[in-house]
Amino acid sequence: MFDDNITSGRRFAAVNEIVEKHGRRPEHLVAILQEVQEVYRYLPEEVLTYVATSLGLSPAKVFGVATFYENFSLEPKGKYVIRVCDGTACHVRGSALIQAAVRERLGLKEGQKTTSDLLFTLETVACLGACALAPVVTINGDVHGQATPEKIVALIDELAKGERKS
Amino acid sequence: MNATMWVDGREVELSGENNILEVVRKAGVDLPTFCYHSELSVYGACRMCLVEDERGHLLAACATPPEPGLKIRTNSKRLLHHRRLILELILANHNRDCTTCEKCGECRLQELANRLGVTQVRFRQKKQAEPVDVGPALVHDPSKCILCGDCVRMCEEVQGVGVLGFAYRGSRLAVLPAFGKKMSEVECVNCGQCASVCPTGALVVKSDVERVWAALSDPTKKVVAQVAPAVRVSFSEAFGLPPGTVGAGQVVAALKRLGFARVYDTCFTADLTVREECHEFLERLNSGTKLPQFTSCCPAWVKFAEQYYPEYLPHISTCRSPQAMFGAVAKAYLPEELGVKPENLYVVSIMPCTAKKFEAGRRELARAGIPEIDAVLTTQELVRMVRQASLDFTQLEPEAFDLPFGLASGAGVIFGVTGGVAEAVLRTAAWALDGKTPELEFRAVRGLASCKEAVILLGGREIRVAVVHGLAAARRLLETLRAGEGKYDLVEVMACPGGCVGGGGQPLPNDTDHRAARAAGLYSLDRQRELRRADENPLVEKLYREHLGAPGSEEAKRLLHTHYSPRRRISGEEVAVAPGAAAKTKIRVCVGTSCYLKGSYDVLQAFHRAIAASGRAEEFDLGATFCLENCPGGPSVQVNDKVLGQMTPEKAAELVRSLSETKEQV
Ligand code: SF4
Ligand code: SF4
Ligand code: SF4
Ligand code: FES
Ligand code: FES
């Protein structure tokens, strides 16, 4: 799992271990990318180029696979990933308001998903499968049901405060 | 009688067709297609080729094998409706600026929309103009892309490069180079084959027409042209004549009418190339070094080798290509001949090839930083200029090429077709080695098989020759060499299928039939020549006598030869490994393919450990990069601005130790 305290050197070593563990087999590309993403929390371009080199694939092919699956991200993600559900149930109960409030709290510009200090990432998802609790927000996988803009902003404040202390 | 199928109620005999589409076309129905090319694998995605069987099932004709007894319809109301619908959907997702589009008039999408009578698009327009990527040879405009994948398969299957790929999904699906970079920032070799198959204006040849018009109307400039062999057998196609029709004289006449002061023949410098390349080959044969010798006239192949096979660069003939030799002799001798100042001589190449545009800009081919070729026009672009000037091409009286660079042997003419360069060299080598009129036609190296091999007896020894075209075929051959299998003395490589006759700048369609017909045109020109060996060309001989001395002389080396260097494939990628806070020494370990395979990862680890142990980690900035363009000397490492080769983990540790010590003293 992603660990903030390891060095970039250790991270790169981990990529190499993953590639070797899979015997540099091109047909393991998806599994390799999954594991690499756990190391970096996203898929940096240069690391994808390295994976392509070691598997003997063209970078364009690796880029294609990395952009095909929704679970892969080519942009860095924040330490806290906030996902606001925008499925029908959540939508009709005002998930858009939550999104807007979070954007404003985090100061995210149009098209920007991650704060520049790499602390928070805001994503919208199609349906988290917890419609009974709508509107639903998850923060690093923890589910917060019947969310309101105020509640979520308060949670973010708390997390940010905790970060400043450490 | 063979098995049969029924197409629109008519019986059609089956004779080994691969798919229903071929049967339908045999039956005289030109079914619309976007994603089918007989040279490429079947993709079956555009659904334009749908047909209907008896039970009303819809089949993609290109992706369905024929079956005896199968009855299909190709033109029911329902099918027409389908095709129109597909076109409308494509058009709603298309930047439809036909009148100002490079492809206008030759666009498959435009043609089919017109043919099928699509007069309105009922969907909301979703695509607008986007910034286009203008590269050295091609222009890529994703807003015109219909996602047929033809270019993707061409680049990967036929060229073995893989520049373009499908990226993203759903409504964002696009065909792009890696990471959405520009084509000039990745491994593209500028062969233009992708543009040859692209049905729309999404991939087109970069036009230099305006620059040439400007030079032609500049009174201080004397504009001269050279015309490559393959142009003369394809040019007339654009004016309705069958492929392979020889139109050299009309091309010369057209260029004169456009205002070119002199029109010369690249086949002349092809003869010159043969002389130099043959001399080099015989030297290598005698000394037994740097064999096989690879040909060097194809700039897409040269860039490919620089990127993927750096260890074979010493094997590539050092001869410049005929285009570049022309540039050299033109800039060296024509100013005096024509009485013009060197800076006012403007040299334009007329080429079947997009990669020649890139070649013209190569640093190694410039003198004092100034390129010797001022502009390169592909056959397609010259066709455009002739149209812009409203010339009636078919009515032009043929004219002869200008001297002194206007006379060529048959050997120089067949440079434009796969096998031709090898054959031209063999003709002269045979004369040199056996001292008698040799067998002139080396049939074993002709034809469209992707790899042709021959063993030829010359001067009492066996010369092993291989000829490949299409870079995927070149890759296969090089991999056998790498594996220590296969032994050759001479290898000819042309990047484009069929050789230059199938170049990425040739008129469309540029398919196998057209390529074969153009090749036949060049071979017939060769047969008609009085002179068929390059060493018989009296004007080349005169050039040696008056200026160059002999093949391989110092002057010939200076003007007619060049060199190659390893080249990285992708721009600007670096992995941070240990970015020190107060870095004074920047270390980049190469993890490009060549160095990676030589164990550069262990070198990287050694640096990392040594830096951590040095106690001054903050002074080092360690990272990994992709190719330092020093591949044969790898594993390579860059320390500040210096590239060090042959790095080992031990040397790496030692280096870090000495660097930390020297700093201590300061
Ligand atoms: S690609 Fe074809 S259809 Fe599209 S704008 Fe150009 S000419 Fe028109
Ligand atoms: S020009 Fe050649 S190498 Fe470049 S993308 Fe097109 S097919 Fe591939
Ligand atoms: S660029 Fe051209 S050939 Fe490639 S997918 Fe798009 S339309 Fe097809
Ligand atoms: S041509 Fe058959 S599906 Fe495209
Ligand atoms: S791969 Fe080219 S220098 Fe390392």
Side-chain angles (χ1 to χ4, degrees):
Chain A
M1 204 49 239
F2 187 80
D3 176 349
D4 279 295
N5 299 316
I6 69 171
T7 62
S8 39
R10 185 64 207 107
R11 255 185 257 279
F12 189 57
V15 171
N16 202 57
E17 281 156 26
I18 293 165
V19 169
E20 295 300 328
K21 187 181 84 197
H22 286 276
R24 300 190 201 172
R25 287 220 283 284
E27 60 278 17
H28 287 201
L29 180 59
V30 174
I32 291 172
L33 294 185
Q34 262 161 355
E35 293 173 33
V36 170
Q37 175 151 299
E38 287 194 1
V39 174
Y40 281 86
R41 207 156 45 183
Y42 76 110
L43 295 171
E45 271 180 32
E46 59 281 8
V47 173
L48 289 177
T49 306
Y50 181 77
V51 170
T53 306
S54 45
L55 302 185
L57 293 170
S58 68
K61 182 147 259 173
V62 174
F63 176 64
V65 170
T67 52
F68 182 81
Y69 295 99
E70 269 188 36
N71 288 336
F72 292 138
S73 166
L74 272 78
E75 282 158 32
K77 283 199 188 176
K79 184 168 177 186
Y80 301 100
V81 178
I82 305 166
R83 300 177 130 180
V84 180
C85 180
D86 200 26
T88 319
C90 292
H91 189 84
V92 295
R93 301 215 189 154
S95 64
L97 294 174
I98 300 179
Q99 260 188 63
V102 173
R103 283 202 155 271
E104 198 191 306
R105 165 64 184 80
L106 298 179
L108 293 173
K109 287 198 255 353
E110 174 77 23
Q112 188 189 358
K113 283 187 181 165
T114 300
T115 54
S116 44
D117 58 4
L118 287 187
L119 267 185
F120 296 97
T121 294
L122 172 66
E123 291 179 346
T124 47
V125 283
C127 174
L128 286 164
C131 310
L133 299 175
V136 183
V137 173
T138 66
I139 302 183
N140 282 5
D142 295 341
V143 180
H144 302 270
Q146 293 172 350
T148 61
E150 295 74 30
K151 276 201 244 172
I152 300 302
V153 168
L155 277 172
I156 294 175
D157 287 340
E158 216 170 289
L159 289 170
K161 211 162 92 195
E163 283 303 317
R164 271 198 298 277
K165 271 197 213 124
S166 65
Chain B
M1 164 122 174
N2 281 338
T4 58
M5 243 185 69
W6 296 79
V7 176
D8 298 324
R10 299 175 56 169
E11 198 172 13
V12 187
E13 202 172 314
L14 295 180
S15 48
E17 286 82 6
N18 294 309
N19 48 56
I20 295 180
L21 180 63
E22 287 180 7
V23 181
V24 169
R25 290 202 168 151
K26 192 162 92 173
V29 179
D30 177 25
L31 216 51
T33 56
F34 281 125
C35 72
Y36 179 77
H37 286 270
S38 57
E39 298 87 354
L40 304 177
S41 65
V42 173
Y43 183 45
C46 76
R47 315 313 277 178
M48 282 308 285
C49 68
L50 287 182
V51 295
E52 200 175 355
D53 72 7
E54 273 184 305
R55 290 173 299 167
H57 290 176
L58 295 178
L59 309 169
C62 71
T64 315
E67 251 174 63
L70 187 67
K71 294 193 171 127
I72 55 150
R73 293 194 57 186
T74 67
N75 59 6
S76 62
K77 179 152 178 278
R78 178 171 167 227
L79 287 169
L80 183 62
H81 176 78
H82 262 284
R83 288 187 193 122
R84 279 200 186 132
L85 190 70
I86 294 166
L87 279 172
E88 280 186 65
L89 285 166
I90 291 175
L91 289 171
N93 258 308
H94 188 87
N95 163 23
R96 278 180 277 151
D97 62 2
C98 289
T99 47
T100 51
C101 179
E102 272 291 313
K103 198 72 168 227
C104 184
E106 275 176 316
C107 172
R108 184 109 178 114
L109 178 57
Q110 198 184 40
E111 188 238 329
L112 289 182
N114 177 27
R115 200 206 291 182
L116 300 185
V118 178
T119 50
Q120 55 160 349
V121 173
R122 290 162 295 173
F123 306 101
R124 193 169 54 85
Q125 184 66 24
K126 283 184 18 204
K127 196 63 125 269
Q128 308 298 333
E130 293 167 25
V132 300
D133 170 13
V134 182
L138 299 170
V139 178
H140 183 207
D141 180 355
S143 72
K144 306 266 174 77
C145 178
I146 62 169
L147 304 170
C148 65
D150 292 346
C151 57
V152 176
R153 281 170 293 137
M154 174 54 91
C155 190
E156 186 170 312
E157 296 170 9
V158 178
Q159 298 303 56
V161 180
V163 170
L164 297 158
F166 281 100
Y168 306 102
R169 63 189 294 172
S171 62
R172 293 181 67 201
L173 184 66
V175 166
L176 295 172
F179 314 117
K181 284 179 184 279
K182 297 186 170 126
M183 283 169 72
S184 57
E185 296 172 331
V186 294
E187 63 276 58
C188 173
V189 299
N190 305 303
C191 69
Q193 288 303 312
C194 50
S196 269
V197 288
C198 179
T200 71
L203 277 165
V204 294
V205 176
K206 189 196 85 178
S207 173
D208 285 300
V209 165
E210 293 312 318
R211 270 177 55 219
V212 174
W213 278 130
L216 285 168
S217 60
D218 179 343
T220 62
K221 295 268 183 259
K222 194 144 214 153
V223 186
V224 303
Q226 58 166 325
V227 182
V231 175
R232 66 203 65 191
V233 285
S234 65
F235 200 87
S236 325
E237 288 166 28
F239 299 91
L241 297 172
T245 307
V246 176
Q250 281 91 344
V251 173
V252 176
L255 285 163
K256 289 278 170 72
R257 295 278 283 264
L258 294 176
F260 285 82
R262 293 283 188 284
V263 179
Y264 301 107
D265 194 350
T266 310
C267 299
F268 171 86
T269 38
D271 276 347
L272 188 60
T273 308
V274 176
R275 295 292 299 273
E276 292 294 325
E277 196 158 339
C278 187
H279 175 81
E280 188 182 20
F281 179 54
L282 294 180
E283 262 185 6
R284 291 189 192 186
L285 264 188
N286 285 336
S287 62
T289 54
K290 294 191 272 185
L291 292 173
Q293 173 169 312
F294 288 91
T295 56
S296 58
C297 39
C298 170
W301 147 243
V302 168
K303 184 166 189 265
F304 181 83
E306 289 180 321
Q307 289 171 174
Y308 296 102
Y309 295 94
E311 73 271 32
Y312 284 99
L313 294 180
H315 289 251
I316 300 184
S317 161
T318 60
C319 289
R320 293 172 164 222
S321 71
Q323 139 158 297
M325 283 201 185
F326 182 86
V329 295
K331 289 277 160 97
Y333 309 129
L334 285 182
E336 200 189 313
E337 174 98 18
L338 302 177
V340 357
K341 290 213 193 96
E343 62 272 26
N344 287 337
L345 180 72
Y346 194 92
V347 178
V348 181
S349 310
I350 315 296
M351 295 281 140
C353 173
T354 48
K356 291 283 168 192
K357 289 179 186 269
F358 171 80
E359 180 183 62
R362 277 183 75 107
R363 263 183 286 123
E364 300 84 346
L365 297 177
R367 260 176 240 286
I370 301 166
E372 292 184 318
I373 303 290
D374 296 287
V376 178
L377 297 177
T378 58
T379 317
Q380 285 179 18
E381 290 162 87
L382 184 61
V383 165
R384 191 149 298 179
M385 287 184 79
V386 168
R387 291 210 176 115
Q388 285 168 10
S390 306
L391 292 179
D392 186 349
F393 180 77
T394 51
Q395 298 300 313
L396 290 174
E397 275 301 319
E399 288 180 38
F401 284 107
D402 287 303
L403 299 179
F405 307 144
L407 180 81
S409 76
V413 171
I414 58 174
F415 252 62
V417 49
T418 168
V421 175
E423 180 166 343
V425 170
L426 288 170
R427 287 182 189 177
T428 288
W431 174 255
L433 290 173
D434 293 331
K436 58 180 188 329
T437 307
E439 176 79 60
L440 274 177
E441 302 199 342
F442 295 88
R443 303 229 152 230
V445 297
R446 298 189 177 183
L448 288 180
S450 69
C451 178
K452 296 163 278 184
E453 297 186 38
V455 180
I456 287 155
L457 202 64
L458 292 185
R461 67 170 284 180
E462 289 185 340
I463 310 285
R464 287 149 304 183
V465 185
V467 171
V468 286
H469 54 127
L471 289 170
R475 195 186 273 286
R476 286 193 292 273
L477 183 98
L478 279 148
E479 288 302 326
T480 63
L481 289 179
R482 249 187 196 168
E485 299 153 23
K487 246 181 108 50
Y488 306 100
D489 299 304
L490 184 65
V491 177
E492 178 203 286
V493 185
M494 294 191 190
C496 291
C500 312
V501 287
Q506 290 282 60
L508 302 175
N510 191 11
D511 55 16
T512 308
D513 292 344
H514 283 75
R515 295 173 202 235
R518 296 169 194 157
L522 286 184
Y523 283 123
S524 83
L525 262 177
D526 168 41
R527 272 194 307 278
Q528 292 157 21
R529 295 273 154 140
E530 196 84 11
L531 310 174
R532 302 195 55 196
R533 288 195 333 264
D535 53 282
E536 294 175 295
N537 186 329
L539 291 182
V540 169
E541 200 49 47
K542 185 159 170 261
L543 187 65
Y544 275 115
R545 219 172 34 243
E546 290 177 0
H547 295 289
L548 294 166
S553 71
E554 277 311 306
E555 183 64 357
K557 286 228 169 74
R558 189 179 72 82
L559 279 184
L560 309 179
H561 290 252
T562 181
H563 59 273
Y564 317 104
S565 358
R567 189 185 281 275
R568 68 186 288 163
R569 299 174 203 166
I570 188 159
S571 69
E573 304 281 317
E574 283 190 351
V575 188
V577 176
K584 292 184 191 142
T585 310
K586 181 173 150 193
I587 300 179
R588 290 289 175 269
V589 179
C590 175
V591 291
T593 307
S594 178
C595 293
Y596 178 80
L597 294 174
K598 288 181 192 156
S600 62
Y601 182 74
D602 298 332
V603 170
L604 182 66
Q605 283 306 300
F607 271 112
H608 194 201
R609 274 193 305 271
I611 289 172
S614 70
R616 319 174 70 92
E618 70 290 348
E619 292 181 3
F620 290 94
D621 166 12
L622 177 66
T625 185
F626 297 89
C627 195
L628 292 165
E629 312 202 318
N630 177 45
C631 318
S636 315
V637 173
Q638 184 175 5
V639 179
N640 290 329
D641 291 333
K642 226 164 93 205
V643 175
L644 309 173
Q646 256 103 39
M647 192 52 65
T648 60
E650 296 73 38
K651 283 199 221 163
E654 183 49 45
L655 189 70
V656 172
R657 213 171 303 128
S658 72
L659 281 168
S660 343
E661 275 162 19
T662 45
K663 274 190 199 136
E664 228 142 348
Q665 283 157 10
V666 187

